[in-house]
Amino acid sequence: MDINAFRAELETRLSIEKQYIVQELSSINDYQEKLESLGKFNEKYREIIKRLSNEFGIDLNEPFQTENPSKSESLTYEQIILGRTMSIYDKLVDELYEELTSTN
């Protein structure tokens, strides 16, 4: 699994989704509804990971093969991908939150 290529593609697609949500914010007047956009972004993050996994031929439920197979901790590809891409999500959701609070 090429995690760097996966991360790059995920960041590109998430950035696009963030821009769509930012555009929608201008038409939303209710602050609670704006806050719900953060949940929508989280759902998009998970959907894009699933979509990219299919494109990369990765079974998210399959155990991740480590260099040390005797390790007792067995993580799935999904757990590894979430762990290695969470910083991208965090950065973009922070930017989205800034947009959300500045449009209120």
Side-chain angles (χ1 to χ4, degrees):
M1 175 176 80
D2 183 359
I3 192 67
N4 292 327
F6 192 97
R7 282 179 56 117
E9 186 62 26
L10 176 67
E11 186 167 16
T12 299
R13 293 186 190 190
L14 264 183
S15 293
I16 293 167
E17 290 298 332
K18 184 192 91 168
Q19 290 306 314
Y20 285 137
I21 291 173
V22 167
Q23 289 174 358
E24 290 175 358
L25 288 177
S26 63
S27 65
I28 301 172
N29 295 324
D30 181 57
Y31 188 69
Q32 183 62 36
E33 194 174 336
K34 286 183 178 185
L35 284 177
E36 290 171 4
S37 297
L38 297 174
K40 182 178 177 182
F41 187 70
N42 182 278
E43 290 171 20
K44 290 292 183 182
Y45 170 60
R46 294 205 176 256
E47 286 174 18
I48 292 171
I49 285 177
K50 287 178 184 176
R51 213 174 311 133
L52 280 175
S53 296
N54 285 334
E55 292 173 20
F56 277 70
I58 299 168
D59 179 356
L60 292 175
N61 298 315
E62 184 177 315
F64 182 74
Q65 299 301 316
T66 61
E67 295 162 3
N68 185 1
S70 64
K71 255 186 157 179
S72 61
E73 184 177 339
S74 178
L75 299 174
T76 65
Y77 274 94
E78 181 176 30
Q79 292 168 318
I80 295 295
I81 289 169
L82 288 172
R84 293 186 181 174
T85 63
M86 188 57 71
S87 62
I88 294 168
Y89 171 80
D90 287 343
K91 179 185 86 161
L92 292 173
V93 81
D94 286 347
E95 291 172 7
L96 181 58
Y97 182 76
E98 288 298 318
E99 290 282 341
L100 185 144
T101 56
S102 70
T103 59
N104 190 21

